[in-house]
Amino acid sequence: MRRYPSDVTGEVTVCDRECLSDWLSKAFTGDGHPNWKGGDTGNYGPGWNRVRREALERDGHECVICGATKVDIGRNPDVHHIVPVRVFAESEGCEKTDAHRLDNVVSLCLSCHRKADFGRLSKERLWRELGVESDNRPEPPAPVAPADGR
């Protein structure tokens, strides 16, 4: 296969989609994932499967950013938490299940999901695509600093 300079973008160049898939599976797990903060949130808990299904239906089984369909992708799009589950799980007075709101999830193809994970798609843009007004956006309370200042 011949590659042109304009085809070489990003941090890795692979030979085909299968190689890309293999690389992503290895590179974006554990501490290689952009949202890795030293631990796993585990099972998303009750309500996740229902909200995921509702988000896919709401979004027509398409990526809300680029419009890639279930057929284009070869499977359902990913359902991405705009404010990560981890943020809710680590916030006082919140549970990880508090992240499972339709106004906090969006259907994305693999490519757009990676962009969102790496911060190249802003939360504001994702909410705008869903039509979520700024005063209705799910944000957990800010973490409370310990009394001793640590």
Side-chain angles (χ1 to χ4, degrees):
M1 173 190 335
R2 187 170 180 180
R3 289 191 199 104
Y4 296 93
S6 62
D7 293 334
V8 180
T9 59
E11 63 184 76
V12 66
T13 303
V14 294
C15 55
D16 59 24
R17 284 186 130 345
E18 187 175 340
C19 287
L20 175 62
S21 180
D22 289 345
W23 177 79
L24 285 170
S25 292
K26 292 173 188 157
F28 292 100
T29 58
D31 61 1
H33 192 279
N35 288 333
W36 178 258
K37 299 292 182 197
D40 184 6
T41 57
N43 182 307
Y44 278 177
W48 170 239
N49 288 331
R50 178 188 49 78
V51 170
R52 180 181 178 282
R53 198 171 37 254
E54 289 174 5
L56 288 168
E57 289 171 9
R58 176 198 62 205
D59 300 336
H61 294 266
E62 294 182 358
C63 176
V64 301
I65 298 297
C66 72
T69 66
K70 179 179 180 177
V71 172
D72 297 332
I73 300 167
R75 61 178 178 80
N76 277 322
D78 295 341
V79 177
H80 171 72
H81 284 89
I82 299 171
V83 177
V85 172
R86 170 184 33 78
V87 173
F88 285 88
E90 294 174 356
S91 295
E92 192 171 317
C94 290
E95 301 289 330
K96 61 184 167 185
T97 55
D98 292 331
H100 308 332
R101 297 173 36 166
L102 273 176
D103 57 1
N104 190 44
V105 294
V106 60
S107 301
L108 299 173
C109 68
L110 180 62
S111 176
C112 290
H113 195 177
R114 296 290 175 241
K115 290 175 186 173
D117 283 344
F118 279 98
R120 292 191 308 260
L121 281 175
S122 70
K123 292 177 185 179
E124 288 72 25
R125 173 149 185 219
L126 296 173
W127 278 316
R128 197 169 46 248
E129 293 295 331
L130 294 179
V132 177
E133 300 294 327
S134 60
D135 56 341
N136 292 329
R137 294 175 180 169
E139 291 283 354
V144 178
D148 60 7
R150 281 192 245 163

